[in-house]
Amino acid sequence: MPEIPDERRERIASDPFCQKLGVELTDLGPGTAATELTVTDDLLNFHGTPHGGAIYSLADAAFAAASNAEGDAALALETNISYFEAVEVGETLTAAAERVHERGRTASYRVAVTDEVGDEIAAFRGRVYLPGE
Amino acid sequence: MPEIPDERRERIASDPFCQKLGVELTDLGPGTAATELTVTDDLLNFHGTPHGGAIYSLADAAFAAASNAEGDAALALETNISYFEAVEVGETLTAAAERVHERGRTASYRVAVTDEVGDEIAAFRGRVYLPGE
Amino acid sequence: MPEIPDERRERIASDPFCQKLGVELTDLGPGTAATELTVTDDLLNFHGTPHGGAIYSLADAAFAAASNAEGDAALALETNISYFEAVEVGETLTAAAERVHERGRTASYRVAVTDEVGDEIAAFRGRVYLPGE
Amino acid sequence: MPEIPDERRERIASDPFCQKLGVELTDLGPGTAATELTVTDDLLNFHGTPHGGAIYSLADAAFAAASNAEGDAALALETNISYFEAVEVGETLTAAAERVHERGRTASYRVAVTDEVGDEIAAFRGRVYLPGE
C-alpha cells in the first residue's frame, strides 16, 4: 500500500487502547483497514464468552483506521453492530473495514468481523464526520 | 435493591473485561444498572481522545448488567451508539441503563452515557435475546 | 409555540409523503415535534399487521419536523428503529421527537412511538447533518 | 427461483402498503429479494426530495420479502439505515436484500439501495425474530 505514508500507519498502529486489548492493525489502505485480536481470558464477560465491548472494539479499530488512513481527522458519529456467533477463547478474530460512501463532510464504512474459518461473527457499520481544517 | 441476590451481583461485577478496562458496576436493579469508568491514558485512541471502544464498552457493560440482573441469560443481538462529545483524560463517565421494553424472548435497553456534570456524551440502545431454559 | 413561524409550520405540515400516508403534524417546537397516524388497511403488510415502513415513516416525520423546526435545513444521515409491539387496524399512533444533542454541524433526536394507551411500540434515534449556508 | 412457491410469492408481492407506495417485488429467492420504486411527487418531503420514509420502506420491503421467503413468519426486531445521496423525481431505485446470518430464532439481512446507475444511495441492515410454531 504505497498510498499511506509509514509515519501515519505507525501512528494509527500505536493506538493505546488497541495495544491494551491486543488489537493489531494488519492492513491499511485508502478507505480500508484490517485488524486482528486473539480472544484471551481477560476479554471475557461474566458469561465466560468474549465481551461485546471487545468484539466492538476490534471492529471500531478497523473503522477508525480506515477512516483516518488518508490523513484527514475523522470523528465517529454513529455506529451499530449485529452480533451473530459466540467464539471461543484462543480464537483469532479479524475485522475488515471498507468505505461504502464518502461525500462532503461525512463517510460511511462497513466492517465484517470473521473467525478463523472465515465465518462472519458480527457486522458493523459506522459514519464519520470530517471536520476539515 | 433487595431484588437482586448478592451472589448474582458479585458475578456480574467481577466481569473480566470490565476489570481490565476499569469499568465498575455501581448500581443494579431489575432491568436497570449503572457503570462508571475514569478515562485513563491507556483508554485513548491515536487522536489522544477516549477510544470509541472504551465508551461503547462502558455502555455495553451497563446494558449487559441490566439485562442479566434478573437471572435469565440474555444474549446481545443488536446495539447502536451515537457519539456526542469528546471527553478529557481524568474524567469519570457514568452509563445508566434502563429497560424500555420486554416481551417474549427479547428485551430492549436504553443507555445514557454522561460526564461529570451530567451532560449526555453518548446514547446507546441494545436488544437482547432471552433463550430461556 | 410562538418560536416557530406559522409559515414554516405550514410548510412542514404539508409534506406530500406524510399526506399520502395520513401522517399529521400535531406539535412543533424548537427541537421537538409530534406526529400522528391512524392505522388503516392500506398501511398493512402481507402478514396483516402495520408495515414497518409505515411505523418508521411516522417516527421519521417527527424527526424531520423537529430537526427542521428552527429553519436550518437538516439532512438525515443515520437512523435506527426498534420494533416492540404489533398494533391493530384502527389504532392511532403518536410519535414524539426530542433533540438529545446538538453541536456544530450535527444533531441527534430520539423518537418514541406510542399507542393509544401510551405504551411504547417502537423506539427510534436519528442523526442529522446541518450543512449551513 | 424454483424454491419459492408461486402462492407465497404472490402473497408477498400483494403487500398493501407496498402497493400504496408503488414498491414492486422484482426478485425472490431463499433469503434474498429485490424491490423497485420509481420516485414520484407524492413520495417527496417538504424539502422536495424523496422522503426518508419512502427510501426506508423500499429497503424494508426487500428485507421483509427475503426474510419471509422460506415460509416461516419473520418479525422485524431492529433495523438501521444510512442515507448517502439524494435522488431526483423520476428515478427508479432498487433495493437488494441478502441474508448475512441465520441461527436459531434470529436472522440478519443486509439491503443495498441503488439508483439507476448502480450507485449505493442508502445501506440498511435488519434483524428478524422467527417465533416458529
Side-chain angles (χ1 to χ4, degrees):
Chain A
M1 266 156 302
E3 298 96 336
I4 310 299
D6 282 355
E7 191 190 304
R8 190 178 309 143
R9 190 179 323 159
E10 277 157 30
R11 190 169 72 89
I12 292 176
S14 66
D15 183 291
F17 185 67
C18 286
Q19 290 183 335
K20 183 181 182 80
L21 262 54
V23 172
E24 267 186 89
L25 181 71
T26 55
D27 205 0
L28 186 69
T32 65
T35 52
E36 275 188 16
L37 176 67
T38 298
V39 178
T40 47
D41 285 331
D42 55 351
L43 302 180
L44 302 183
N45 60 23
F46 56 81
H47 288 310
T49 54
H51 199 286
I55 307 294
Y56 177 92
S57 295
L58 173 64
D60 193 64
F63 165 54
S67 61
N68 284 278
E70 288 160 298
D72 297 313
L75 306 176
L77 291 176
E78 302 274 328
T79 64
N80 54 64
I81 187 166
S82 300
Y83 296 104
F84 300 147
E85 298 278 349
V87 290
E88 305 287 321
V89 172
E91 273 209 74
T92 297
L93 305 176
T94 301
E98 56 166 356
R99 185 160 53 213
V100 179
H101 185 264
E102 180 174 39
R103 185 179 173 191
R105 297 219 167 279
T106 76
S108 180
Y109 292 80
R110 179 177 294 148
V111 185
V113 182
T114 49
D115 63 14
E116 287 179 4
V117 296
D119 284 341
E120 192 163 350
I121 63 139
F124 171 108
R125 209 173 62 239
R127 191 82 171 250
V128 292
Y129 176 62
L130 303 154
E133 289 148 44
Chain B
M1 265 156 300
E3 298 96 337
I4 310 300
D6 282 356
E7 189 190 307
R8 191 179 309 141
R9 192 179 322 159
E10 278 157 31
R11 191 170 70 90
I12 291 175
S14 67
D15 184 290
F17 185 67
C18 286
Q19 290 184 336
K20 183 182 182 78
L21 263 54
V23 172
E24 268 187 88
L25 182 70
T26 55
D27 205 1
L28 186 69
T32 64
T35 51
E36 274 188 17
L37 176 66
T38 298
V39 178
T40 46
D41 284 331
D42 56 351
L43 302 179
L44 302 183
N45 60 24
F46 56 81
H47 288 310
T49 55
H51 199 285
I55 307 293
Y56 176 92
S57 296
L58 174 65
D60 193 65
F63 164 55
S67 60
N68 284 279
E70 288 161 298
D72 297 314
L75 306 176
L77 290 177
E78 301 274 328
T79 65
N80 54 64
I81 188 165
S82 299
Y83 296 104
F84 300 149
E85 298 278 348
V87 289
E88 303 288 320
V89 172
E91 274 210 74
T92 297
L93 305 176
T94 301
E98 56 167 355
R99 185 161 52 215
V100 179
H101 184 266
E102 181 174 38
R103 185 179 174 191
R105 299 218 166 280
T106 77
S108 181
Y109 292 80
R110 179 177 293 149
V111 186
V113 183
T114 49
D115 63 14
E116 288 178 4
V117 297
D119 285 341
E120 192 164 348
I121 63 139
F124 172 108
R125 209 172 64 240
R127 191 82 172 250
V128 291
Y129 175 63
L130 303 155
E133 289 150 43
Chain C
M1 264 154 302
E3 299 95 336
I4 311 300
D6 282 356
E7 189 191 308
R8 192 179 306 143
R9 192 179 322 159
E10 278 156 31
R11 191 170 70 89
I12 291 175
S14 67
D15 182 291
F17 184 68
C18 286
Q19 290 183 336
K20 182 181 183 78
L21 262 53
V23 172
E24 269 188 87
L25 182 71
T26 55
D27 205 1
L28 186 69
T32 65
T35 52
E36 274 188 17
L37 176 67
T38 298
V39 178
T40 47
D41 284 331
D42 55 352
L43 302 179
L44 302 183
N45 59 25
F46 56 82
H47 289 308
T49 54
H51 199 286
I55 308 293
Y56 177 92
S57 295
L58 173 64
D60 193 63
F63 164 55
S67 60
N68 284 278
E70 289 162 297
D72 297 314
L75 307 176
L77 291 176
E78 302 274 328
T79 65
N80 54 64
I81 187 165
S82 299
Y83 296 104
F84 300 148
E85 299 278 348
V87 290
E88 304 288 321
V89 172
E91 274 210 75
T92 297
L93 305 176
T94 302
E98 55 165 358
R99 184 162 50 213
V100 180
H101 185 265
E102 181 174 38
R103 184 179 174 191
R105 297 219 167 279
T106 77
S108 180
Y109 292 80
R110 178 177 294 149
V111 186
V113 182
T114 49
D115 63 14
E116 288 178 4
V117 297
D119 285 340
E120 192 163 349
I121 63 139
F124 171 108
R125 209 171 63 239
R127 190 82 171 249
V128 291
Y129 175 63
L130 303 154
E133 288 149 45
Chain D
M1 265 154 299
E3 298 96 337
I4 310 299
D6 281 355
E7 191 191 306
R8 190 179 308 141
R9 192 179 321 159
E10 277 156 32
R11 191 170 69 89
I12 291 175
S14 66
D15 183 290
F17 184 67
C18 286
Q19 289 183 337
K20 184 182 182 78
L21 262 53
V23 171
E24 268 187 88
L25 182 70
T26 54
D27 204 1
L28 186 69
T32 65
T35 52
E36 275 188 16
L37 176 66
T38 298
V39 178
T40 47
D41 284 331
D42 56 352
L43 302 179
L44 302 183
N45 60 24
F46 55 81
H47 289 309
T49 54
H51 199 285
I55 307 293
Y56 177 93
S57 295
L58 173 65
D60 193 63
F63 164 56
S67 60
N68 284 278
E70 288 161 297
D72 297 313
L75 307 176
L77 291 176
E78 302 273 328
T79 65
N80 54 63
I81 188 166
S82 300
Y83 296 105
F84 300 147
E85 299 278 348
V87 290
E88 305 287 320
V89 172
E91 275 209 75
T92 297
L93 304 176
T94 301
E98 55 166 358
R99 185 160 53 214
V100 179
H101 185 264
E102 181 173 38
R103 185 181 173 189
R105 296 218 168 280
T106 76
S108 180
Y109 292 79
R110 179 176 294 150
V111 185
V113 182
T114 49
D115 63 14
E116 288 178 3
V117 297
D119 285 340
E120 193 163 348
I121 63 138
F124 171 108
R125 210 173 62 239
R127 190 82 171 249
V128 292
Y129 175 63
L130 303 155
E133 289 151 44

